[in-house]
Amino acid sequence: MRSMQLLFVILAVAVALAACGNSGTASNPNSPIIIAWLPNESGAELKDAREAIGAVISETLGRPVEHRTTTDYLIAVEALANNTAHLGFLGPEAYVQAHDKNNKVIPLVIPSGSDGRLETAVYHSWLAVMRGQEGNYQENGIFKIDNIQGKRFSFVSSSSTSGFRVPSSVIVKYFSTQDKWKSLKSDDLIEGGANKFFSEVLFGGSHQGAAINLLSGKVDVASFCDACVYNYIELVEGEENRPGAVYRVREKADEPFDKFPGAEFVIISSTPVLNSPFVVNSSMLSADEIERLQDALTSDAVANNPKVFATKEEIDAGFKPLFRKTNAERFLVVDDAFFNPIRELR
């Protein structure tokens, strides 16, 4: 008799554990939805912008939201891949890495281009130098990257799209036509030193950190993206996102740029990059919950929410945005195949 009772207990526990494993935290409708943020979007100045997104998600699912800010790309990637975060805002490369680790991590929505279309859903990966040094990277007035070889260089993170995957691909493609560098690979750019492509390589840990490595004089050239440093800088000369554009740190910029007011840098290379997606771990939310989130996030109400897509008036009033409303920006649904161009860079 006791053995039969023990067997029933074991079976009951097994069934309960199986149910937990199949439904993740979605089995508890009162548990918080955890959103993982990359270091670029984890700063205190973006708290209100994060909470605006969280409010939409909380209202849609009827569950509280917990924002999990990070100091390292890999922490955010692992949180999605290891079933400890339901949602995340990841760069394309970080998304591909998370999906590779766990194919249940899929795109949720992506911010469109200014005209509201996927075809224009891009931001830009920059190579930048301090103003006064840009002449070293020009030939007959045309910007070229030949002279970055041998310099001190800063990437963002090996999990960053615009702060590593794209710029390293650009560098490899450009220099591998030369006999000396014909076997150059992206992984060769991770470390500097004698007989290496760069004399020294630093990783900023975030786009802000890579920019600070440049502004502080730790490196000669840095790679970071336009969108992640927009809140700290202003265009003072040239055309946005074009080689030769000069940007200046705002006089009252937030940390960590507050130590470099008025400092100027010049873009020597600019490459379009697919916009960053919000992603979801589909093993932790039901198909119905995911569909409801997509419906809510792609709605006109969210597209016209000035705390999500910040208007000029909001920004002028001091609001620090994740996304800006310049025309018809909104969220759009995409599938995993949308990010195949990032995979092709590997």
Side-chain angles (χ1 to χ4, degrees):
M1 185 68 174
R2 292 185 62 186
S3 62
M4 286 295 291
Q5 290 175 330
L6 181 60
L7 177 60
F8 283 133
V9 170
I10 292 172
L11 287 172
V13 171
V15 168
L17 288 175
C20 291
N22 289 334
S23 61
T25 57
S27 61
N28 181 0
N30 298 315
S31 64
I33 298 294
I34 298 172
I35 308 175
W37 298 91
L38 292 176
N40 317 308
E41 290 78 38
S42 290
E45 75 280 3
L46 293 175
K47 180 176 183 290
D48 290 344
R50 291 191 299 268
E51 290 185 347
I53 294 289
V56 174
I57 293 167
S58 180
E59 182 178 349
T60 300
L61 298 184
R63 296 169 64 176
V65 164
E66 178 182 319
H67 297 280
R68 183 166 296 171
T69 57
T70 65
T71 57
D72 188 286
Y73 269 66
L74 290 180
I75 295 174
V77 169
E78 293 297 333
L80 268 299
N82 293 335
N83 304 327
T84 58
H86 301 76
L87 304 172
F89 184 59
L90 303 181
E93 172 66 20
Y95 159 67
V96 169
Q97 290 184 9
H99 181 80
D100 286 348
K101 292 172 180 287
N102 181 349
N103 63 11
K104 295 297 184 181
V105 178
I106 58 175
L108 184 68
V109 294
I110 191 172
S112 74
S114 61
D115 58 3
R117 298 187 303 140
L118 277 179
E119 291 79 2
T120 55
V122 297
Y123 61 111
H124 294 83
S125 172
W126 289 344
L127 297 186
V129 301
M130 292 301 294
R131 189 167 196 180
Q133 298 300 312
E134 66 271 21
N136 297 324
Y137 306 91
Q138 289 177 282
E139 184 177 311
N140 298 322
I142 304 298
F143 281 92
K144 294 189 172 183
I145 63 172
D146 298 71
N147 288 339
I148 67 171
Q149 195 278 313
K151 296 296 193 296
R152 299 171 301 158
F153 194 95
S154 179
F155 290 111
V156 173
S157 162
S158 60
S159 296
S160 171
T161 309
S162 55
F164 180 74
R165 183 59 59 194
V166 167
S168 65
S169 178
V170 168
I171 293 166
V172 167
K173 182 177 180 180
Y174 187 86
F175 282 91
S176 60
T177 60
Q178 303 176 15
D179 286 343
K180 182 177 180 180
W181 303 109
K182 62 183 178 181
S183 299
L184 188 67
K185 301 290 187 295
S186 290
D187 288 348
D188 298 330
L189 304 179
I190 291 177
E191 294 183 1
N195 301 318
K196 299 286 189 178
F197 186 85
F198 293 120
S199 61
E200 183 180 0
V201 175
L202 300 181
F203 284 88
S206 66
H207 289 267
Q208 294 91 332
I212 294 301
N213 281 342
L214 176 68
L215 296 172
S216 63
K218 292 180 179 178
V219 298
D220 307 299
V221 188
S223 177
F224 49 93
C225 84
D226 61 327
C228 293
V229 298
Y230 170 83
N231 290 328
Y232 312 94
I233 63 173
E234 56 190 348
L235 179 71
V236 294
E237 194 173 306
E239 184 181 347
E240 278 195 353
N241 294 313
R242 299 287 297 172
V246 181
Y247 291 86
R248 178 186 299 147
V249 177
R250 299 177 187 272
E251 288 299 326
K252 296 183 179 180
D254 289 316
E255 292 182 352
F257 289 79
D258 58 326
K259 297 179 178 63
F260 305 95
E264 296 181 347
F265 60 87
V266 181
I267 307 307
I268 64 170
S269 174
S270 180
T271 306
V273 183
L274 294 177
N275 272 354
S276 300
F278 279 98
V279 305
V280 57
N281 184 320
S282 60
S283 70
M284 298 181 70
L285 292 178
S286 69
D288 175 67
E289 287 174 313
I290 292 171
E291 183 177 357
R292 284 158 55 198
L293 282 177
Q294 288 178 323
D295 288 345
L297 289 169
T298 58
S299 68
D300 290 343
V302 167
N304 295 316
N305 183 334
K307 297 295 186 182
V308 177
F309 289 97
T311 60
K312 183 178 185 299
E313 291 75 17
E314 287 287 333
I315 295 170
D316 288 347
F319 183 75
K320 300 297 192 298
L322 284 166
F323 312 103
R324 303 191 300 280
K325 190 75 165 183
T326 65
N327 184 15
E329 290 89 348
R330 63 188 306 117
F331 291 123
L332 300 171
V333 174
V334 293
D335 59 17
D336 174 73
F338 183 80
F339 299 97
N340 283 344
I342 300 302
R343 295 182 172 100
E344 293 167 4
L345 293 176
R346 295 179 167 191

